[in-house]
Amino acid sequence: MTPAMTNRAAALLDAYKGKGLKIATAESCTGGLVAALLTEISGSSAVVERGFVTYSNEAKTELIGVPADLIAAHGAVSEPVARAMAEGALAHSRADVAVGITGVAGPTGGTAAKPVGLVHFGLARKDAATVHLERRYGSLSRENVRRRAVEDALALLEQAVR
């Protein structure tokens, strides 16, 4: 990650720490990059409660309670699953805010309906409606899709602490 992203993550952690809030992540296509970025910063344990890397459908179901029938009905890369991932991470942690990320990082795995670069995000907060964000980054490199997804996850977490 870039120095700018590390600085942004440090500011985010400061904002959460200032409000006494904790974060959980549920990551699929980013493979733990959001949690890794946040935990690069010293003192992050005051804010980062836990991170789930739920790359497989089974992990989504077993670790954070995403219903298997929801995945079967909509596919892992979908709005309902992103929302369920965020809500599941919140329910299976002691966090106040959770972000869920699922997408097609590529270069393989895309379809006409779900092309490479499609990423769905969910942001769940205690006592608030879950927010969804869809991004279609296009067929960038795998590294760039994942980096852009981390940036958008940070943006969602920033919005939640304002």
Side-chain angles (χ1 to χ4, degrees):
M1 297 294 147
T2 66
M5 288 178 74
T6 302
N7 291 339
R8 187 174 172 191
L12 176 74
L13 291 171
D14 286 345
Y16 274 79
K17 187 175 180 182
K19 292 191 176 185
L21 299 174
K22 295 202 177 270
I23 296 170
T25 63
E27 300 181 65
S28 187
C29 66
T30 50
L33 289 174
V34 175
L37 175 63
L38 294 173
T39 58
E40 279 185 31
I41 287 97
S42 179
S44 58
S45 60
V47 173
V48 179
E49 205 282 320
R50 70 186 73 184
F52 300 93
V53 176
T54 56
Y55 207 71
S56 71
N57 291 345
E58 293 78 13
K60 290 172 182 64
T61 299
E62 294 168 10
L63 294 176
I64 55 175
V66 176
D69 60 345
L70 188 72
I71 296 170
H74 300 280
V77 180
S78 64
E79 176 180 344
V81 170
R83 287 175 179 274
M85 287 173 66
E87 292 165 358
L90 195 62
H92 289 85
S93 71
R94 293 184 176 97
D96 303 288
V97 179
V99 64
I101 308 160
T102 182
V104 184
T108 62
T111 65
K114 296 182 182 188
V116 170
L118 172 63
V119 180
H120 288 275
F121 302 83
L123 183 87
R125 294 173 285 177
K126 290 183 177 179
D127 304 320
T130 300
V131 173
H132 169 257
L133 175 67
E134 177 183 313
R135 290 287 191 232
R136 291 178 181 262
Y137 303 120
S139 58
L140 305 173
S141 69
R142 182 176 183 83
E143 177 185 357
N144 284 325
V145 168
R146 288 164 40 110
R147 181 185 51 76
R148 299 270 308 268
V150 169
E151 291 170 350
D152 280 326
L154 288 178
L156 284 170
L157 290 167
E158 288 164 348
Q159 289 171 12
V161 76
R162 285 188 194 126

